Amino acid sequence: MSKLKLETEVFQVSIYCDIILNLIIKHKILSVNKLLVFSYLIKKERFIPNDIYNGNNTRDIIYKCISVLSGDYDEYCSSIPYIIKAIHLLNIKGQIGLENNQLYCLSEPEKSTDKPIYRESLFIEKAIEESRKLSEKQFMREVMNNV
């Protein structure tokens, strides 16, 4: 693996480590499937200057959030290995735990005055909470229908 490719991978994994840890701390428990989608959307959201949806949306919010993935299948799939590596790294470092496909925080990190670079919008926050009402099978069906 070339040095540039390795540096790119390290950078991507570190971004996802930050996103995943913030998500798990805020939402306490989140499935791996949902974490894959929402961590990708949070990273992607930073590069989209004008959001299609905002925190004022209340109807069908989970479906609207997943629809943001539309047409982005290749990029989403290429991000999955980085997200999986970030989950693995956080798990072996003892920051998150994994049981029955559910990720949870093992140790509360030190409070920082710095704002996270990649933080979830109110829209994604509401979508994550709304996603708890969907089974894993239904959630993944919606994802596959949209990508």
Side-chain angles (χ1 to χ4, degrees), residues 25-92:
I25 289 169
K26 186 169 192 169
H27 298 281
K28 308 298 182 218
I29 295 176
L30 203 56
S31 73
V32 173
N33 292 331
K34 293 174 184 176
L35 187 83
L36 288 171
V37 172
F38 291 122
S39 58
Y40 174 74
L41 288 174
I42 289 169
K43 183 176 180 264
K44 180 183 174 184
E45 187 177 53
R46 183 153 189 257
F47 298 106
I48 301 172
N50 297 321
D51 296 333
I52 299 169
Y53 304 113
N54 59 38
N56 294 333
N57 295 99
T58 56
R59 298 190 65 188
D60 301 326
I61 195 163
I62 186 67
Y63 303 106
K64 290 176 183 175
C65 186
I66 292 172
S67 75
V68 175
L69 284 173
S70 183
D72 209 12
Y73 179 76
D74 291 335
E75 188 65 31
Y76 173 66
C77 287
S78 67
S79 296
I80 289 176
Y82 300 121
I83 300 169
I84 299 292
K85 288 176 183 180
I87 291 169
H88 177 70
L89 184 62
L90 291 169
N91 189 351
I92 63 172

Side-chain angles (χ1 to χ4, degrees), residues 131-145:
S131 75
R132 295 184 190 281
K133 297 176 185 175
L134 294 178
S135 69
E136 292 299 308
K137 187 175 181 178
Q138 179 63 31
F139 181 80
M140 290 311 295
R141 186 177 296 133
E142 292 300 327
V143 169
M144 295 312 294
N145 286 337

